Amino acid sequence: MAEDLQIITGNKADQYHSLIPQIKGLLEGEPDLIANLANVVAALKEQFGWFWVGFYLVKSEELVLAPFQGPVACTRIKKGRGVCGSSWAEAKTIIVPDVEKFPGHIACSSFSKSEIVVPVIRNNQVVAVLDVDSDEYDQFDSTDQQYLEEIVNLIAF
Ligand code: SME
């Protein structure tokens, strides 16, 4: 089965508009969570070329590293710690234009310069977060927030 992603150029919204139906196609008929998380991060990485894209799953009161694309990363993050743990604690998306200015930022890589973390909420509980890092400053905005929130909501947890 051919699963090649169609990559487009254009503005951010155009790129998300092209990618979202393809992500729906990848998720369709596949019940396995890890397989679906793996394909979503791969699709995002392929389209946008970000430095790091990955999920952390809430497990026993910690975030634990799950499928990702990019350099090796911290495996466990406590609630309220770093951008990921803050997004979990506050159950909201956090956009960080400059990671050095975010108190408590966890530097898995010194190359990471800006970041967006989107919580995955099911039955009023955060069950995971999607973390995206760029090696350039100020790469994420409300467009990313809107579409990444839409994308995580496509995944059955
Ligand atoms: N920077 C994140 C940690 C995860 S890595 O970026 C992959 C944070 O502050 O929570």
Side-chain angles (χ1 to χ4, degrees), residues 51-54 56 63 65 68 71-74 77 81-87 96 99 102-109 112 114-115 117 129 131-133:
F51 178 69
W52 197 92
V53 186
Y56 283 88
L63 288 171
L65 186 63
F68 70 96
V72 294
C74 330
I77 298 172
R81 304 294 292 273
V83 188
C84 292
S86 300
S87 172
V96 183
V99 296
F102 187 94
H105 169 259
I106 300 165
C108 290
S109 164
S112 177
S114 58
E115 182 165 2
V117 179
V129 299
D131 181 16
V132 183
D133 289 36

Side-chain angles (χ1 to χ4, degrees), residues 96-99 111-116 132-140:
V96 183
D98 177 351
V99 296
F111 290 105
S112 177
K113 298 285 187 272
S114 58
E115 182 165 2
I116 182 169
V132 183
D133 289 36
S134 172
D135 56 6
E136 291 176 55
Y137 292 108
D138 203 11
Q139 289 301 294
F140 304 104

